Amino acid sequence: MKYKKIILAIISVSMIALVILFSFVLRGNFFKYNDINVLIHEPKSKNILIKGTWKINSIESLDGLKSEINDEEKLYISNDIISFKKMGTKNPKFKFRYINFKNYLSSKGIINSKISINSDEAVIVSVTNGTDYYQEFIVIDDTHIATIFNKQYILFELEKKDVDTNSISIENSAKDRDISFLIGLKTLGNKDVVYQTYLIRKNLENKIEYKKIDGLLVNKDNNFFLVNSTNDNKEIFYTQDYIGKKNKKSFFANNSVINFLSENYISFEKNNSDNVNKSYEIHKVNQIDENKKLSVKDISGDLGENSYFESILKIGYKDYDKTLLDMSNIGVKRNNNKWVFKSIFSNYKSDSFTTTEFDLDLIPTVDIFENSSTKFSKSFIKSKADNFTDYFVSPNEKLLIILTLDELMVYSIDNGVSSTLPILKINLSEKKEVVTFQWKFDNSSEYTYNEFKKIN
């Protein structure tokens, strides 16, 4: 009995010692990991990097022309406003990413030898309001940032860490703004599918004009790319050399038609040789040559898959084999003035092979859609053009564009009221369908227009 008590006492002391030791280990690890977190520096707040009042340090022209920017112009960045040359936004959103500085400059067409580079890596701060303002800033060091503005590489030096918001005015934000509308259309009915992009621009002098090019041109943060097909539609190609059309990436897709194109995604409608067995596909634009079809789950996650299965049940298929489902047979198409997900279910179990096309009610978890356009009722649009097929309203509600069977009509809007007559009409030779559209404002609008002129 005596030895039993001794043994129990030893065990109790040992357990207490282990608990104490374990608590110290945990405490040590706790502080250790917290110390590591302190040492990891990531730009989580806009206040850390670019907030303040900035003066121009130097300007490097990227097109050889003399800069028209006044050296006295100031850049103002705060939590609530960003302004340069009286253009900006009052509700900025900031995103941060690390990049290779040299590669970034090269992608923007900047000769590295002209720019002082002290580090291989840099932080890029993207500023947007989610609709019509976008600008990128390069963080050089604690007191210097740079940006590319109207084909000028501008280096700023920190003047002070705060901003006098009362002295800032942002022009073009309410009434007068340079607006450009890019709309990519396809013509069906002939042997070949023809793609064209129209640019409609209303500048600060209220002059309105338009230009047209072949192919589908997209402006991705003022870096353009072109998607088009060869004459016999045996392949569809993508190129960032939208003027010379060199260095093309080809997507070999016989009998394919582009239904949708955004900054990051493209959707095809494919048919076999006898145009009977149709299918849909969605791809990432930057992987167009890799032939990687995206699935329902890639676009909309687990909820999207569940919605897909529910849709099949709704169209009357009570018994289907999930292993035979083609979850990549999905696409995007313009329908009833909005983008719609579509799919085709092939029933292999029936006595005769059948296919059924249906719409999918998906909520994307990726950035597939960048544009929307509502504001006016369809009855109002119908009063303007009885045979309209689609319509678009600018985010600042200053332009209304109506697509009909044979025209593009442009109306101005003032205080929610559209002009009685169109301010521009563009005749279309044949019925066309919408593939892509974008709104651009201010310096981005002007830049888009100038690039369009080069292509012409």
Side-chain angles (χ1 to χ4, degrees), residues 7 13 33 98 127 174 196 214 307 342 351:
I7 293 171
V13 171
Y33 287 119
Y98 289 98
V127 188
Q196 293 175 319
D214 291 331
S307 176
K342 304 184 78 68
D351 295 335

Side-chain angles (χ1 to χ4, degrees), residues 362-411:
L362 299 181
I363 300 175
T365 57
V366 295
D367 56 345
I368 187 167
F369 300 124
E370 287 93 16
N371 295 286
S372 61
S373 207
T374 52
K375 311 296 184 187
F376 287 94
S377 67
K378 291 183 182 179
S379 59
F380 173 80
I381 303 299
K382 197 173 183 64
S383 70
K384 294 286 187 182
D386 187 59
N387 64 338
F388 85 95
T389 59
D390 216 330
Y391 68 98
F392 311 88
V393 182
S394 63
N396 67 344
E397 300 181 34
K398 293 299 175 183
L399 281 184
L400 164 65
I401 297 175
I402 299 177
L403 174 65
T404 73
L405 296 174
D406 51 12
E407 283 182 320
L408 267 173
M409 298 190 297
V410 183
Y411 293 83

Side-chain angles (χ1 to χ4, degrees), residues 301-420:
D302 293 334
L303 291 177
E305 282 195 344
N306 294 335
S307 176
Y308 180 80
F309 298 142
E310 290 173 3
S311 297
I312 293 176
L313 293 174
K314 286 179 182 179
I315 60 177
Y317 291 96
K318 303 297 183 183
D319 184 25
Y320 59 85
D321 187 349
K322 287 187 178 182
T323 61
L324 296 178
L325 292 176
D326 183 1
M327 302 296 290
S328 298
N329 193 339
I330 58 169
V332 178
K333 198 170 185 179
R334 192 75 177 170
N335 185 32
N336 202 22
N337 317 121
K338 62 182 180 180
W339 297 118
V340 177
F341 285 101
K342 304 184 78 68
S343 184
I344 296 176
F345 174 64
S346 298
N347 185 13
Y348 298 91
K349 285 194 170 184
S350 61
D351 295 335
S352 59
F353 175 79
T354 59
T355 61
T356 304
E357 183 172 350
F358 57 96
D359 293 346
L360 278 172
D361 184 17
L362 299 181
I363 300 175
T365 57
V366 295
D367 56 345
I368 187 167
F369 300 124
E370 287 93 16
N371 295 286
S372 61
S373 207
T374 52
K375 311 296 184 187
F376 287 94
S377 67
K378 291 183 182 179
S379 59
F380 173 80
I381 303 299
K382 197 173 183 64
S383 70
K384 294 286 187 182
D386 187 59
N387 64 338
F388 85 95
T389 59
D390 216 330
Y391 68 98
F392 311 88
V393 182
S394 63
N396 67 344
E397 300 181 34
K398 293 299 175 183
L399 281 184
L400 164 65
I401 297 175
I402 299 177
L403 174 65
T404 73
L405 296 174
D406 51 12
E407 283 182 320
L408 267 173
M409 298 190 297
V410 183
Y411 293 83
S412 63
I413 305 173
D414 187 18
N415 293 323
V417 179
S418 75
S419 58
T420 304

Side-chain angles (χ1 to χ4, degrees), residues 161-369:
K161 292 185 178 181
D162 59 347
V163 174
D164 180 10
T165 56
N166 294 325
S167 64
I168 300 173
S169 62
I170 301 178
E171 294 179 354
N172 313 329
S173 61
K175 291 185 178 180
D176 300 322
R177 301 194 69 172
D178 192 320
I179 310 174
S180 286
F181 178 64
L182 288 165
I183 181 168
L185 302 173
K186 67 181 178 185
T187 303
L188 299 174
N190 297 327
K191 178 182 177 182
D192 300 327
V193 180
V194 177
Y195 304 97
Q196 293 175 319
T197 301
Y198 291 77
L199 170 67
I200 298 169
R201 182 193 182 199
K202 184 181 180 182
N203 62 21
L204 293 178
E205 288 74 39
N206 284 324
K207 180 182 178 182
I208 189 155
E209 51 197 330
Y210 86 94
K211 293 188 177 297
K212 178 181 70 173
I213 61 169
D214 291 331
L216 303 171
L217 189 72
V218 174
N219 182 344
K220 181 177 173 63
D221 304 333
N222 282 348
N223 290 289
F224 297 81
F225 64 83
L226 180 77
V227 177
N228 204 358
S229 63
T230 56
N231 292 333
D232 57 1
N233 290 313
K234 295 301 181 185
E235 67 173 354
I236 294 170
F237 67 84
Y238 153 89
T239 179
Q240 292 179 305
D241 181 13
Y242 49 92
I243 297 176
K245 297 179 179 63
K246 299 177 181 178
N247 302 319
K248 297 185 292 187
K249 294 182 179 180
S250 296
F251 181 93
F252 295 96
N254 293 343
N255 301 304
S256 291
V257 175
I258 305 172
N259 284 334
F260 167 80
L261 177 64
S262 69
E263 294 183 9
N264 300 302
Y265 295 89
I266 186 169
S267 177
F268 299 101
E269 180 179 319
K270 301 181 70 174
N271 294 277
N272 60 10
S273 58
D274 56 5
N275 289 322
V276 174
N277 189 16
K278 185 168 73 171
S279 62
Y280 289 107
E281 295 181 5
I282 299 176
H283 297 255
K284 287 186 177 180
V285 170
N286 60 2
Q287 297 175 347
I288 192 172
D289 58 332
E290 300 178 19
N291 200 16
K292 292 182 178 179
K293 295 188 293 184
L294 299 179
S295 68
V296 172
K297 189 170 185 176
D298 293 328
I299 298 296
S300 199
D302 293 334
L303 291 177
E305 282 195 344
N306 294 335
S307 176
Y308 180 80
F309 298 142
E310 290 173 3
S311 297
I312 293 176
L313 293 174
K314 286 179 182 179
I315 60 177
Y317 291 96
K318 303 297 183 183
D319 184 25
Y320 59 85
D321 187 349
K322 287 187 178 182
T323 61
L324 296 178
L325 292 176
D326 183 1
M327 302 296 290
S328 298
N329 193 339
I330 58 169
V332 178
K333 198 170 185 179
R334 192 75 177 170
N335 185 32
N336 202 22
N337 317 121
K338 62 182 180 180
W339 297 118
V340 177
F341 285 101
K342 304 184 78 68
S343 184
I344 296 176
F345 174 64
S346 298
N347 185 13
Y348 298 91
K349 285 194 170 184
S350 61
D351 295 335
S352 59
F353 175 79
T354 59
T355 61
T356 304
E357 183 172 350
F358 57 96
D359 293 346
L360 278 172
D361 184 17
L362 299 181
I363 300 175
T365 57
V366 295
D367 56 345
I368 187 167
F369 300 124

